[in-house]
Amino acid sequence: MVSVIGALWLLLREHSDDVSSALVPDAGTARLSRLLGYEPADLLGSFSLDSVHPDDRGSVSRAWAELVDHAGQVATFRYRVKQDDHRWRWVDATGANLSGEPSVQAVVINRRDVTDEVENQLRLEHEVALRTRELESLYRADSILRRSLRISDVLQATVDVAADVLAVEHSIVFVHDGLHDRWLPRASCGFDQQDVWRLAPAFDSQSSGTIVSSGLPLGQSVDSIAPSESWDGVEVLRKHGIRSVFSVPLVVANEAFAVFSVFNAAPRALTETERRSLLALAERAGMAIETAQLYEAAREKAALEERQKLARELHDSVSQALYAIGLTATAASRLFASDPARVPFLMDDVVRLAETGLTEMRSLIFELRPESIESEGLVGALEKQAAAVRARHGLLIRTAFGSEPQLPLNTKQALYRIAQEALHNTAKHAQAKLVDLELRTNEGELLLRIADDGHGFQTDGKFPGHLGLKSMRERAVAMGATLDVRSSPQAGTEVRVHLPLASSLTPDGAPAVSLSS
């Protein structure tokens, strides 16, 4: 009588599309054939490793040996086997050692073709890996492009990150020259400058116009480009093993600013992943260029304001001192023969005016060199500023500074500029005699305080053309501080900047008080 296990195996054999085999270690095949109703040729299978993929033979061999050595054991394993058409097919095998079953006395193996399932899974894993790599690359591209605040740096970063995002070795950015209506290379990767300029004529207004008008990536096979007497760029591409070119416009403020091209060693069209990556990179580069343009515009505006301020300062101080020196020297020259006794007094005036002009010039030069803060520190810069204001305006300035605060350079520069603007306003408008300049820590914050005994003003009033308070507030907000201005007519003015500090950044030591007069 056939056992339960044998019956189950028979049922599986009759109703499954799988391939089943019984491998008998001894000569019991005739009895097994009579019990199950199949010829030995149908039931007995040979288990040869020759048809198994070389990479799978080790694991299959170990699983088979373990199965044969232990009666009653069941094992499953997956491997690749070569078919008659020499194609590799994936197989899931389930083996049961039924040598202890009187009705079977064999190792039964059921094999199922799972090639489609495995290949679909591998394809999905490959697509997931590609997408993950694409997202990681774009994340790194975002990080790099956001750090670039100059247009030239953004363009160079764009061609550099293309190697990571699109896995290419050559790329160029062509920027439109509106004056001459042509596209000029501004950044490249993988080409020397001579080759870049040999390629430039290919991106004339017509071909680049097609890319710009479509707004989509455009691919072209190098084999389809015919060399001409006017352009030998095809030879450059072939020298570098390039077979296709992909280009996309870089759009800034809804206008085409540049054309970004990558060069591929394969003569093929863009894949959907590459197309998506190229568009994503172009979009990020466009946003970074727009940010860089705004930054450069802000720098130009700041530079213009500094030049205008310097011009006013030179006119109000140095130029007037030089003009007075000229007049006094001329008068002394004319009196040299007629009234020589007055000449020494006039020459004393010339020396005094020259010293005043020199002091003014040194002060202006220091204001134009904020990098001195990096070498001398914020405390040293404030000391020099106090001395300059005293010398120029005759103010009595009391300073109270703690030790040098451990702050980033840009934060120190912002604090210095606020103090400078406050002292400037006091000297120009307050008609003060005494100013307190203080920098110290107070309960986890850094305090910058500038107070005078001048006329004061209404803090809620409007001051057309005077941007000092506005600029001070903007600098304070930019570094995470608060600005508090207290003043009223005939009661002086006090400016306080409160900058929160981490405990590790708090400067130690009590303020050292000094009097500058």
Side-chain angles (χ1 to χ4, degrees):
M1 184 176 186
V2 178
S3 69
V4 174
I5 296 179
L8 289 174
W9 178 68
L10 176 60
L11 186 64
L12 179 65
R13 182 70 170 83
E14 291 176 343
H15 297 283
S16 175
D17 292 333
D18 300 349
V19 177
S20 301
S21 301
L23 291 90
V24 185
D26 54 29
T29 58
R31 181 172 59 82
L32 186 63
S33 176
R34 288 194 302 272
L35 287 172
L36 300 178
Y38 292 96
E39 294 300 319
D42 296 328
L43 296 175
L44 299 181
S46 61
F47 197 80
S48 171
L49 290 176
D50 293 341
S51 61
V52 177
H53 194 282
D55 292 344
D56 301 332
R57 288 175 186 172
S59 60
V60 171
S61 178
R62 289 189 295 272
W64 172 248
E66 181 74 13
L67 182 63
V68 170
D69 290 344
H70 298 85
Q73 181 162 320
V74 177
T76 59
F77 41 96
R78 175 174 288 184
Y79 59 95
R80 285 160 289 181
V81 62
K82 184 180 290 187
Q83 301 298 299
D84 294 339
D85 58 1
H86 300 290
R87 293 177 56 200
W88 292 104
R89 307 288 294 180
W90 283 95
V91 172
D92 268 355
T94 301
N97 188 335
L98 304 181
S99 59
E101 288 291 324
S103 60
V104 181
Q105 297 182 5
V107 176
V108 177
I109 297 180
N110 187 65
R111 284 168 283 198
R112 183 167 63 93
D113 189 329
V114 292
T115 302
D116 291 342
E117 176 185 333
V118 172
E119 289 182 349
N120 287 337
Q121 179 65 27
L122 292 175
R123 190 179 303 111
L124 178 61
E125 291 176 357
H126 179 67
E127 291 176 357
V128 170
L130 286 178
R131 184 60 175 160
T132 300
R133 181 182 179 278
E134 175 189 354
L135 293 175
E136 290 176 348
S137 298
L138 290 175
Y139 177 80
R140 288 193 293 270
D142 278 339
S143 177
I144 294 172
L145 291 172
R146 277 198 298 265
R147 292 198 302 266
S148 305
L149 291 177
R150 292 188 300 180
I151 294 177
S152 58
D153 293 339
V154 173
L155 296 177
Q156 189 60 50
T158 300
V159 297
D160 289 340
V161 300
D164 189 30
V165 176
L166 298 167
V168 297
E169 296 181 358
H170 302 83
S171 55
I172 302 178
V173 170
F174 294 89
V175 176
H176 186 246
D177 176 8
L179 182 62
H180 301 93
D181 192 23
R182 58 180 180 174
W183 296 83
L184 301 177
R186 286 282 301 274
S188 64
C189 177
F191 296 107
D192 58 37
Q193 286 300 309
Q194 182 178 1
D195 286 344
V196 168
W197 284 102
R198 289 173 65 188
L199 290 171
F203 292 83
D204 54 19
S205 58
Q206 182 177 359
S207 60
S208 296
T210 302
I211 299 169
V212 169
S213 62
S214 69
L216 299 173
L218 179 67
Q220 188 174 15
S221 171
V222 173
D223 296 335
S224 66
I225 304 175
S228 65
E229 294 182 0
S230 61
W231 186 62
D232 62 350
V234 172
E235 296 304 320
V236 174
L237 299 178
R238 290 174 177 168
K239 179 182 74 174
H240 289 278
I242 295 168
R243 304 294 300 281
S244 55
V245 183
F246 307 137
S247 302
V248 67
L250 301 185
V251 178
V252 179
N254 297 321
E255 292 186 2
F257 176 83
V259 171
F260 173 49
S261 298
V262 297
F263 303 83
N264 202 293
R268 58 176 177 79
L270 279 168
T271 66
E272 183 58 33
T273 298
E274 291 171 330
R275 180 187 180 89
R276 186 171 57 242
S277 297
L278 190 58
L279 283 170
L281 180 57
E283 181 181 0
R284 285 159 171 77
M287 290 188 293
I289 291 171
E290 187 170 1
T291 301
Q293 287 179 331
L294 293 174
Y295 177 76
E296 291 186 358
R299 289 185 61 188
E300 290 177 0
K301 181 181 178 182
L304 177 61
E305 291 176 351
E306 288 292 334
R307 287 195 293 270
Q308 291 173 340
K309 179 181 177 181
L310 177 61
R312 291 193 300 268
E313 294 288 340
L314 287 172
H315 177 268
D316 293 343
S317 57
V318 179
S319 63
Q320 291 185 9
L322 293 176
Y323 182 70
I325 289 172
L327 288 178
T328 305
T330 300
S333 176
R334 291 175 179 175
L335 293 173
F336 189 77
S338 61
D339 192 359
R342 294 182 57 190
V343 171
F345 297 100
L346 293 175
M347 295 308 299
D348 287 341
D349 290 340
V350 169
V351 172
R352 180 180 56 80
L353 290 169
E355 290 177 346
T356 301
L358 181 60
T359 300
E360 294 279 357
M361 184 60 70
R362 285 175 175 171
S363 177
L364 291 174
I365 290 173
F366 177 77
E367 291 181 8
L368 293 174
R369 295 182 58 204
E371 67 271 12
S372 300
I373 297 176
E374 186 173 10
S375 57
E376 300 180 4
L378 177 59
V379 172
L382 291 176
E383 288 278 14
K384 283 191 172 183
Q385 181 64 25
V389 172
R390 181 204 64 78
R392 293 170 65 183
H393 303 287
L395 286 173
L396 178 66
I397 300 180
R398 295 186 303 200
T399 60
F401 300 136
S403 58
E404 179 69 18
Q406 301 303 308
L407 297 171
L409 178 60
N410 58 346
T411 301
K412 291 184 178 182
Q413 289 177 345
L415 289 167
Y416 171 77
R417 290 300 189 189
I418 291 174
Q420 181 186 53
E421 184 66 34
L423 290 172
H424 173 82
N425 290 339
T426 296
K428 291 292 184 180
H429 309 296
Q431 298 182 14
K433 296 180 180 179
L434 174 65
V435 180
D436 286 321
L437 177 58
E438 183 180 359
L439 182 71
R440 62 180 175 86
T441 58
N442 181 28
E443 297 181 355
E445 70 175 13
L446 183 70
L447 173 66
L448 173 65
R449 176 178 173 271
I450 307 98
D452 65 59
D453 62 352
H455 292 323
F457 64 99
Q458 291 287 354
T459 57
D460 57 351
K462 295 183 179 181
F463 308 96
H466 298 279
L467 303 178
L469 285 176
K470 181 181 178 181
S471 67
M472 286 193 290
R473 292 191 187 279
E474 289 176 349
R475 292 183 190 276
V477 171
M479 63 178 166
T482 57
L483 181 76
D484 183 20
V485 180
R486 303 174 183 177
S487 183
S488 60
Q490 308 305 320
T493 300
E494 182 180 41
V495 176
R496 286 174 171 258
V497 180
H498 301 269
L499 177 65
L501 287 175
S503 58
S504 60
L505 298 180
T506 303
D508 298 325
V513 179
S514 64
L515 183 65
S516 175
S517 60

